[in-house]
Amino acid sequence: MRAAQEAAQKRKSLFVKLGVLAAVIVVIALVVTLIVQNNNAKIADSGAVPQGGTAAGGIMVTSPDTVAQKTIEKVDIKTLEAPAEAPNPATPRDLTVADKGEPINITMYVDANCVHCADFEATYGDQIEEWLANGDVTVEYRNVGYLDRGSPTNFSSRGANALACVADESPAAYMSFVKALWGHYPEGEMKNAELADLAIQNGAAESVTSCIEDDKFRPFVQYATTAGQYDGVAGTPSIFIQGKEFALGTQDFPTEVEKAIAANK
């Protein structure tokens, strides 16, 4: 009987400990959720636009070390009107279609936390830079935060903010940072300080640190993300060549771009 009582007492003690542990886990989960919600709540509805910024929330790159002049000074998410339902197929706003004789445009919706975006950059990043260097293309990066829902730290939006900061502070380093950011994907998410270090390692000025830490362009990212969702862009990467959607997985990217370049000469 004594052995049975001792065993029962041990079981009871174990259950109590497990109950306490479960309660602690729940509290931690709630705290993390509240932190994420508070971080999201701190993002203003309106904010500044980085160098290269477009009215759709993109960053227009014109060569391997230059971005275009921004076409708008400020964005405000309240100016976006939600459609009754997202268009199908996607109809992104303000797609650039180059005139005859000009560099063709490639517009890409990409997410810093997207494995397929990382794969696309690894496969075609050097080719894109070559087209840029030859004056054959311009590239508009619409860096969105679609995958924040799966990240407790909102890494998609923070990565997009870091890209905007580099475009604004050190446009010559933008393409190098693009390659480094998605090249880091297999190693997991980064803190803002790590994003700043990576940017500086790839040619950005040290002033980029305060821009990244202060989430300076998070409203711009939020605007780009919401606009993309309203326009029916369901996932990343989504790519448009001269205003026409590229069928990822069906068409060959270099072939389609080269065809568009030849047709525009």
Side-chain angles (χ1 to χ4, degrees):
M1 288 178 62
R2 185 165 53 249
Q5 289 174 342
E6 290 175 352
Q9 187 63 34
K10 288 180 180 179
R11 285 195 299 272
K12 182 179 178 181
S13 177
L14 176 61
F15 289 146
V16 169
K17 290 177 181 178
L18 289 174
V20 171
L21 178 60
V24 169
I25 291 172
V26 169
V27 169
I28 291 173
L30 288 172
V31 169
V32 170
T33 300
L34 287 172
I35 289 172
V36 171
Q37 290 174 344
N38 286 337
N39 284 341
N40 287 335
K42 291 177 184 176
I43 305 305
D45 288 331
S46 63
V49 173
Q51 289 302 320
T54 70
I59 294 172
M60 184 70 77
V61 179
T62 52
S63 83
D65 55 7
T66 58
V67 300
Q69 291 293 316
K70 55 186 170 183
T71 60
I72 189 172
E73 290 296 327
K74 188 177 182 179
V75 292
D76 189 335
I77 198 170
K78 295 193 297 294
T79 64
L80 297 173
E81 294 185 10
E85 58 182 67
N88 186 17
T91 55
R93 67 195 63 204
D94 300 325
L95 284 178
T96 298
V97 179
D99 293 332
K100 197 80 170 175
E102 294 182 351
I104 69 158
N105 178 258
I106 303 168
T107 295
M108 304 195 298
Y109 286 83
V110 285
D111 188 304
N113 216 7
C114 163
V115 62
H116 301 300
C117 300
D119 290 342
F120 187 88
E121 170 60 30
T123 305
Y124 301 116
D126 289 342
Q127 177 65 79
I128 290 171
E129 285 204 62
E130 184 178 329
W131 286 323
L132 283 166
N134 292 337
D136 291 327
V137 306
T138 60
V139 183
E140 184 182 355
Y141 287 87
R142 297 186 179 182
N143 301 303
V144 294
Y146 283 8
L147 298 178
D148 276 346
R149 60 185 178 272
S151 167
T153 71
N154 300 119
F155 181 66
S156 295
S157 288
R158 292 190 300 105
N161 173 68
L163 286 160
C165 287
V166 172
D168 195 63
E169 300 278 343
S170 302
Y174 183 82
M175 290 301 292
S176 293
F177 185 52
V178 164
K179 183 178 294 185
L181 180 63
W182 274 287
H184 188 276
Y185 177 85
E187 299 175 52
E189 298 185 5
M190 288 179 280
K191 299 176 181 178
N192 281 350
E194 294 170 320
L195 284 165
D197 287 344
L198 186 66
I200 292 168
Q201 290 166 17
N202 284 275
E206 292 190 4
S207 58
V208 79
T209 300
S210 60
C211 177
I212 292 173
E213 292 284 2
D214 294 343
D215 288 328
K216 180 176 180 179
F217 294 112
R218 284 286 294 276
F220 180 73
V221 174
Q222 182 173 252
Y223 180 90
T225 301
T226 304
Q229 291 168 335
Y230 285 176
D231 294 346
V233 180
T236 56
S238 288
I239 301 160
F240 298 82
I241 302 170
Q242 281 288 81
K244 296 180 181 179
E245 187 165 10
F246 166 71
L248 190 67
T250 301
Q251 297 175 304
D252 181 67
F253 180 65
T255 298
E256 295 304 312
V257 173
E258 290 289 354
K259 281 167 58 177
I261 292 171
N264 216 47
K265 287 186 176 178

